[in-house]
Amino acid sequence: MRLSVSKKSDVALQALRILSQDRGVHSGQSLADVLDVSLVYLSQSLSPLVKGGWLTSRVGPDGGYALAPRLKKLSVMQVVEAIEGPIEGSSCVVSSRTCGVDSPCMMHVTWSGARASLRKSLASISAI
């Protein structure tokens, strides 16, 4: 059982921290340099946030990334789920089958509670 997020989520959260400190446009290359990733990896990491409308992205000499103008709040959970997919899931933590109320494994109730606590905790942490 693995409880971790991908490097893409980490990069996206770090980029959001930088972008929220100075709400201007930051070039992709400058963000990539600060975060010690390639420009391609940065783009892949931030793409779900652009698609979600939380970041803007422009190409060209004056281009780069910026927080969406109307963005006031964004939780760590929203960012992680945009990149990793929903935390709620039906895959079983003890076997490779679907686990649910109708056919629960011995960990189902405990794991469901832990997942709900994790969602609540991540939703309470601001990403910006």
Side-chain angles (χ1 to χ4, degrees):
M1 168 172 47
R2 187 169 176 236
L3 289 175
S4 63
V5 295
S6 69
K7 181 171 171 110
K8 285 182 181 176
S9 290
D10 181 47
V11 167
L13 288 165
Q14 288 185 58
L16 283 167
R17 180 183 42 81
I18 292 166
L19 294 169
S20 68
Q21 290 171 349
D22 172 10
R23 287 195 165 239
V25 176
H26 292 256
S27 76
Q29 190 61 60
S30 69
L31 283 173
D33 290 345
V34 169
L35 299 174
D36 197 27
V37 296
S38 72
L39 185 56
V40 170
Y41 195 81
L42 177 75
S43 175
Q44 292 170 348
S45 300
L46 298 184
S47 177
L49 306 184
V50 173
K51 287 178 185 172
W54 299 319
L55 291 182
T56 60
S57 174
R58 291 191 316 229
V59 295
D62 295 329
Y65 294 94
L67 293 178
R70 295 187 184 115
L71 183 64
K72 302 291 184 229
K73 289 174 44 177
L74 184 61
S75 73
V76 169
M77 186 187 73
Q78 289 173 289
V79 175
V80 170
E81 285 195 328
I83 295 169
E84 310 285 339
I87 291 173
E88 290 295 331
S90 59
S91 33
C92 183
V93 295
V94 257
S95 70
S96 59
R97 67 182 177 93
T98 300
C99 185
V101 178
D102 295 337
S103 61
C105 71
M106 56 195 282
M107 294 277 295
H108 181 75
V109 172
T110 302
W111 192 247
S112 293
R115 198 176 348 222
S117 292
L118 177 62
R119 286 182 56 81
K120 183 177 179 180
S121 180
L122 293 177
S124 71
I125 303 168
S126 177
I128 60 164

